[in-house]
């Protein structure tokens, strides 16, 4: 078993899970949703195997280049979906989140992404790499869940469904926001202090993390203090996810700065 | 004063500031920061002057951005204080007495009839509350008893703890801004430099670059000794990600360079006419050695350049202090006269050519070069840092309280009539309502099923 075999197997499992979930969406059969969930969990297990193998083979954390971090983000998205579904039993979000997981893996396997595990440059040789990146990406995965539930909220008509989607959005952010704050901002600052001698340098990636954080702070304040719910909340959650996406992806390609690794 | 407090305690101001800060921060990532006026002129033309004057080019350190952060801090402070007293009252002296009508209007409610007088049902109810983990307060007036059960009251202070943490972070940043200090310290091997406040010295004993098998950099390490009044105090190794702390100062491995004044080169001389002729010389620039031929020629290393390039006027110069294209100027000297000379290159051994008739038969190769390395350390002192970490702890603790320590309340009003007691239950949870509903139902069920 090589890492790439496991990677491909996981991608196929996620894809089949997405198909079954779509079948559930149109056929309304609980059986296909259940089968979809089994495949999603199977994909998650196989994907975990791929990440572990990658770690053992390279000897470092499996998120030091774009291929690795996309694969990890896909894994985190699948995990976030499984956890949210276990807690709130909301199979309707299955097809879209599984498709996101597949899309991230497809992007990771595109020829543009270098796949070789390279030895770590001195700046990345720290256990903070594990803490900073894994917790941040996990937080962003929960933002992805909130993004999907918010879009679905805007599209849905049934008030009962809308209510549930709105509440799951909030609960996903209630997980994602503390994780993102801890991983992205706090661990990021601690590591920056250790590696660069400054906890904050106004590097574009730092600034965009702050912007993402401000947008979700806005979400929480408008919702909890001002009682905004539903449509306006959904739009802010969507905006927040887009900011997180830009922090993760856009900053690397469009802006230059200290975070030139991945 | 009142209107001041009203203005700064409004959530609308907080939301406005969040949006303005986000938009301003985005601008700062779109406009390149801290470049030269010429660069801005080239990029933005006539707009450049305005951008510079409004400090958009040093946005995060601009007067107005810092003022925004200050307003934000003031807003957080006033907002939090304005809400704190009522929260404290709620925590310490909650309103225990309730009336059945208002309880019946709660989102979560129930009504249970129990046989037996108030005096026996009340302890039962209290027990059921306690069994579910609720702290119970009691009051009785007239023929009516009120029970107030509550758990995890700290949860209502979660947002306040987050806000306090943010204020501590802002305060820490102010301390960093005024009391912080940062400078670069290039050190040659064996060199000693005083600490910025002169209270101790730091000596670089050895600088090493570790490579992976494929030639990529694995690590830079500076072995240093801290001295006080010339006497060694401690030795330490400074690496990337492993700074050294001494007194208030931190030393970081930032970069490295070479001390080209200590260059040594190894040059091989060969004769085209005599394949057996091979002489090796290890010399410093400015040194000479006998070539070992019959005529008594000497070889002289006149110059060494780490990054050879032909500069202005076609004269050799070095482009940088990194060994990108190391080159040495070799001369043949006899009786005080230069008889041949030419540049030889470490990376291009075939490129060398000796000028002068006597050099035609000779070829030289720059086999090796070495120079002492300089380690570039960064020295910082930042008294704000501990405050930043404290603030981060508070923010995370507050978020934990706010999201995962939900305050739940169950109230009961008990009234006796004709030997039976009616319990009216009402519940309140601002967070995690679905789990609270289940727990509330379980408490009600326990009361109902009492034998």
């Amino acid at each position: 078993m090589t890492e790439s075999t496991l990677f491909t197997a996981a991608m196929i499992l996620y894809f089949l899970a997405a198909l079954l979930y779509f079948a559930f969406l149109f056929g309304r059969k609980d059986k296909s949703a259940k089968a979809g969930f089994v495949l999603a969990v199977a994909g998650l297990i196989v994907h975990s195997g791929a990440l572990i193998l990658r770690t053992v083979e390279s000897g470092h954390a499996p998120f030091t280049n774009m291929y690795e971090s996309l694969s990890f983000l896909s894994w985190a998205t699948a995990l976030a979906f499984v956890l949210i579904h276990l807690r709130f039993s909301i199979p309707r979000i299955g097809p879209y989140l599984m498709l996101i997981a597949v899309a991230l893996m497809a992007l990771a396997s595109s020829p543009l992404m270098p796949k070789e595990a390279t030895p770590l440059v001195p700046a990345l040789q720290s256990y903070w790499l594990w803490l900073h990146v894994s917790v941040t990406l996990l937080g962003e995965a929960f933002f992805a869940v909130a993004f999907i539930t918010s879009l679905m909220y805007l599209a849905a008509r049934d008030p009962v469904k809308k209510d549930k989607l709105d509440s799951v959005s909030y609960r996903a952010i209630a997980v994602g926001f503390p994780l993102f704050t801890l991983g992205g901002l706090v661990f990021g600052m601690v590591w920056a202090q250790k590696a660069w001698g400054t906890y904050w340098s106004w590097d574009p990636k730092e600034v965009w993390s702050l912007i993402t954080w401000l947008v979700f702070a806005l979400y929480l304040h408008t919702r909890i203090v001002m009682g905004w719910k539903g449509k306006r909340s959904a739009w802010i959650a969507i905006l927040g996810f887009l900011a997180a996406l830009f922090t993760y992806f856009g900053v690397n390609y469009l802006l230059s700065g200290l975070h030139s690794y991945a | 004063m009142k209107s001041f407090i009203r203005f700064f305690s409004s959530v609308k101001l907080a939301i406005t500031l969040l949006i303005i800060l986000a938009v301003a921060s985005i601008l700062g990532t779109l406009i390149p920061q801290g470049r030269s006026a010429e660069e801005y002129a080239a990029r933005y033309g006539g707009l450049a002057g305005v951008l510079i004057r409004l400090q958009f080019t040093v946005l995060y350190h601009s007067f107005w951005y810092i003022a925004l952060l200050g307003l934000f801090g003031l807003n957080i402070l006033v907002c939090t204080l304005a809400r704190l007293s009522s929260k404290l009252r709620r925590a310490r002296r909650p309103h225990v007495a309730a009336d059945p009508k208002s309880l019946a209007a709660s989102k979560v409610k129930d009504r249970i009839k129990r046989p037996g007088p108030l005096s026996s049902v009340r302890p039962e109810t209290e027990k059921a509350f306690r069994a579910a983990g609720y702290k119970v307060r009691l009051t009785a007036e007239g023929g009516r008893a009120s029970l107030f059960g509550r758990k995890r009251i700290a949860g209502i202070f979660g947002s306040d703890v987050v806000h306090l943490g943010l204020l501590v972070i802002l305060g820490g940043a102010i301390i960093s801004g005024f009391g912080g200090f940062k400078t670069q310290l290039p050190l040659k091997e064996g060199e000693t430099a005083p600490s910025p406040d002169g209270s101790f010295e730091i000596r670089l004993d050895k600088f090493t670059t570790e490579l992976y098998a494929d030639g990529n950099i694995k690590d830079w390490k500076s072995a240093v000794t801290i001295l006080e009044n010339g006497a060694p105090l401690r030795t330490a190794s400074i690496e990337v990600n492993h700074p050294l702390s001494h007194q208030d100062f931190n030393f970081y491995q930032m970069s490295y360079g070479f001390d080209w004044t200590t260059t040594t080169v190894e040059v091989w001389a060969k004769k085209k006419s005599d394949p057996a002729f091979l002489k090796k010389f290890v010399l410093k620039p400015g040194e000479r050695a006998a070539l070992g031929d019959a005529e008594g020629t000497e070889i002289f290393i006149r110059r060494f350049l780490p990054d050879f390039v032909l500069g202005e006027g076609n004269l050799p110069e070095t482009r940088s202090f990194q060994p990108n294209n190391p080159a040495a100027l070799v001369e043949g000297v006899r009786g005080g006269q230069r008889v041949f000379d030419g540049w030889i290159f470490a990376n291009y051994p075939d490129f060398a050519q000796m000028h002068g008739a006597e050099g035609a038969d000779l070829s030289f190769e720059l086999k090796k070069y070495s120079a002492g390395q300089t380690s570039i350390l960064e020295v910082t002192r930042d008294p704000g840092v501990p405050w930043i970490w404290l603030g981060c702890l508070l923010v995370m603790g507050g978020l934990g309280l706010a999201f995962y320590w939900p305050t739940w309340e169950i109230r009961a009003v008990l009234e006796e009539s004709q030997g039976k007691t009616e319990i009216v239950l009402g519940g309140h949870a601002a967070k995690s309502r679905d789990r609270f509903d289940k727990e509330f139902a379980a408490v009600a069920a326990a009361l109902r099923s009492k034998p």
Side-chain angles (χ1 to χ4, degrees):
Chain A
M1 275 295 179
T2 64
E3 183 241 338
S4 72
T5 319
L6 290 177
F7 179 94
T8 313
M11 192 164 147
I12 292 169
L13 285 167
Y14 290 155
F15 186 67
L16 292 177
L19 288 184
L20 281 166
Y21 270 121
F22 272 116
F24 160 76
L25 225 52
F26 295 110
R28 303 252 148 250
K29 288 202 183 95
D30 285 342
K31 252 190 195 161
S32 32
K34 281 208 178 97
F37 187 68
V38 169
L39 285 186
V41 172
L44 191 62
I45 293 168
V46 173
H47 199 169
S48 309
L51 292 174
I52 292 169
L53 215 58
R54 178 90 182 182
T55 308
V56 171
E57 278 169 7
S58 69
H60 56 67
F63 25 73
T64 57
N65 59 25
M66 221 27 178
Y67 163 78
E68 290 179 339
S69 86
L70 278 167
S71 175
F72 187 84
L73 184 60
S74 164
W75 178 86
T77 307
L79 179 69
F81 162 66
V82 166
L83 292 178
I84 289 279
H85 181 55
L86 282 176
R87 175 78 175 77
F88 302 102
S89 52
I90 180 160
R92 283 194 303 285
I93 64 174
Y96 310 108
L97 281 165
M98 281 295 109
L99 273 192
I100 288 187
V102 172
L104 288 170
M105 290 184 99
L107 199 59
S109 44
S110 97
L112 289 174
M113 302 287 164
K115 283 168 200 60
E116 320 79 66
T118 48
L120 286 185
V121 298
L124 291 182
Q125 294 165 22
S126 169
Y127 56 86
W128 287 103
L129 173 66
W130 278 100
L131 292 168
H132 173 53
V133 183
S134 65
V135 178
T136 309
L137 291 182
L138 213 58
E140 288 180 352
F142 279 94
F143 290 160
V145 174
F147 171 70
I148 291 298
T149 49
S150 296
L151 282 178
M152 289 174 73
Y153 174 92
L154 293 175
R157 274 196 220 106
D158 175 14
V160 179
K161 273 187 194 166
K162 272 178 111 75
D163 239 30
K164 174 130 191 189
L165 287 164
D166 178 69
S167 135
V168 173
S169 287
Y170 169 72
R171 301 301 289 272
I173 289 169
V175 179
F177 187 70
L179 284 177
F180 184 79
T181 309
L182 182 68
L185 293 163
V186 175
F187 288 169
M189 285 200 282
V190 175
W191 192 11
Q193 178 67 28
K194 262 199 119 172
W196 300 328
T198 336
Y199 53 84
W200 195 264
S201 323
W202 296 106
D203 162 73
K205 202 145 189 138
E206 290 174 357
V207 176
W208 272 97
S209 304
L210 179 67
I211 292 161
T212 305
W213 191 86
L214 290 172
V215 175
F216 283 107
L218 189 72
Y219 175 94
L220 293 170
H221 284 84
T222 50
R223 190 180 177 96
I224 295 169
V225 188
M226 294 180 69
W228 287 18
K229 274 187 103 177
K231 205 169 155 186
R232 286 183 289 188
S233 265
W235 277 113
I236 302 176
I238 290 168
L239 213 63
F241 174 74
L242 293 178
L245 196 66
F246 191 77
T247 308
Y248 170 69
F249 214 70
V251 171
N252 295 359
Y253 295 101
L254 300 172
L255 308 167
S256 65
L258 293 167
H259 275 83
S260 51
Y261 329 105
Chain B
M1 191 63 194
K2 261 218 171 110
S3 62
F4 169 86
I5 288 177
R6 200 173 305 132
F7 177 72
F8 277 104
S9 66
S10 87
V11 182
K12 277 195 183 128
L13 176 69
I15 285 162
T16 314
L17 284 172
L18 281 172
I19 294 171
I20 296 177
L21 274 172
V23 172
S25 303
I26 292 173
L27 273 181
T29 65
L30 300 180
I31 302 166
Q33 297 289 297
R35 308 286 173 84
S36 67
E38 291 77 35
E39 212 179 315
Y40 289 116
R43 194 186 266 260
Y44 299 110
L47 210 62
V50 180
L51 289 178
I52 292 171
R53 212 164 314 122
L54 294 176
Q55 296 182 304
F56 276 83
T57 54
V58 283
L59 194 143
Y60 305 113
H61 310 281
S62 69
F63 172 76
W64 59 268
Y65 191 84
I66 291 168
L68 274 176
L69 286 177
L71 270 180
F72 190 52
L74 198 60
N75 182 210
I76 292 172
L77 180 70
V78 178
C79 251
T80 308
L81 288 180
R83 284 160 179 71
L84 198 58
S85 62
S86 72
K87 279 193 186 179
L88 282 171
R89 208 176 312 124
R90 185 179 155 198
R92 286 160 60 188
R93 286 196 302 276
H95 213 66
V96 176
D99 72 295
K101 267 188 206 133
S102 67
L103 285 196
S106 309
K107 270 206 177 133
V108 200
K109 59 197 175 234
D110 209 336
R111 196 181 282 268
I112 298 159
K113 271 230 161 80
R114 294 285 307 162
L118 182 61
S119 57
S120 71
V121 175
R122 203 205 64 201
E124 279 174 19
T125 313
E126 195 183 334
K127 225 171 137 191
F129 277 25
R130 287 197 205 282
Y134 288 78
K135 263 182 81 176
V136 183
R137 286 177 164 88
L138 284 166
T139 182
E141 51 182 46
R144 191 191 274 173
S146 295
L147 275 84
F148 174 67
R150 183 166 65 187
K151 59 162 71 167
R152 292 188 295 254
I153 182 61
I156 64 165
F157 296 104
S159 59
D160 306 300
V161 177
V162 174
H163 289 161
L164 177 65
L166 292 176
L167 289 173
V168 172
I169 289 174
L170 284 174
I174 293 172
I175 296 173
S176 291
F178 285 104
F181 158 91
K182 188 182 209 174
T183 187
Q184 287 205 345
L185 181 67
L187 281 177
K188 297 170 190 171
E189 284 185 350
E191 189 180 300
T192 305
S195 68
D197 65 350
S199 67
F200 63 93
E201 296 100 52
I202 180 165
R203 184 179 71 211
L204 178 67
D205 298 322
K206 190 159 179 55
F207 178 70
T208 39
T209 303
E210 290 178 9
L211 299 177
Y212 288 109
D214 65 357
N216 282 315
I217 307 270
K218 186 177 179 197
D219 208 355
W220 292 292
K221 281 184 184 167
S222 292
V224 297
T225 303
I226 300 280
L227 307 107
E228 260 173 32
N229 305 317
L233 197 68
R234 59 186 280 215
T235 59
S237 172
I238 303 173
E239 293 168 52
V240 182
N241 273 312
H242 299 279
L244 163 70
S245 291
H246 189 72
Q247 292 181 8
D248 296 341
F249 294 98
N250 291 308
F251 296 85
Y252 296 86
Q253 185 67 56
M254 275 307 276
S255 180
Y256 72 101
F258 292 91
D259 175 16
W260 295 112
T261 62
T262 62
T263 309
T264 306
V265 295
E266 183 176 329
V267 174
W268 289 10
K270 291 177 184 166
K271 267 188 181 167
K272 287 167 192 163
S273 59
D274 178 7
F277 184 92
L278 172 65
K279 293 270 176 180
K280 299 177 182 177
F281 307 94
V282 177
L283 294 169
K284 291 183 188 310
E287 288 182 343
R288 58 184 70 201
L291 183 60
D293 59 353
E295 295 84 9
T297 315
E298 278 187 314
I299 145 165
F300 174 56
I301 307 297
R302 180 169 286 282
R303 286 178 78 187
F304 174 84
L305 297 176
D307 191 3
F308 179 96
V309 68
L310 284 176
E312 249 173 272
N314 241 7
L315 292 172
E317 59 184 42
T318 193
R319 184 167 32 193
S320 72
F321 294 98
Q322 296 300 320
N324 296 323
N325 185 19
L329 178 59
V330 180
E331 281 183 14
V333 187
R334 193 166 59 237
Q337 295 275 313
R338 183 168 68 204
V339 289
F340 61 85
D341 70 340
W343 282 95
I344 56 176
F345 303 90
N347 299 346
Y348 309 99
D350 301 332
F351 208 70
Q353 209 175 5
M354 290 300 126
H355 306 284
E358 288 198 35
D361 189 34
L362 285 163
S363 75
F364 293 91
E365 286 172 43
L366 179 53
K367 275 297 186 189
K368 272 190 198 160
Y369 58 90
S370 63
Q373 289 187 311
T374 57
S375 174
I376 300 173
L377 300 177
E378 186 167 83
V379 192
T380 69
R381 182 177 60 191
D382 191 341
V385 169
W387 296 101
I388 300 293
W389 301 154
L390 176 67
C392 287
L393 272 179
L394 287 169
V395 167
M396 290 319 302
L399 287 176
L401 280 179
F403 287 117
Y404 298 102
W405 201 246
T407 306
W408 290 349
E409 291 169 352
I410 303 181
R411 290 173 184 276
V413 176
L414 281 64
E415 266 176 311
E416 186 186 326
S417 68
Q418 293 154 1
K420 286 184 176 176
T421 305
E422 190 184 44
I423 312 170
V424 180
L425 286 173
H428 174 75
K431 302 258 171 73
S432 307
R433 217 167 282 144
D434 52 341
R435 278 188 298 138
F436 174 69
D437 290 0
K438 278 186 199 140
E439 186 165 296
F440 181 87
V443 170
L447 279 173
R448 197 167 270 130
S449 65
K450 278 248 159 88

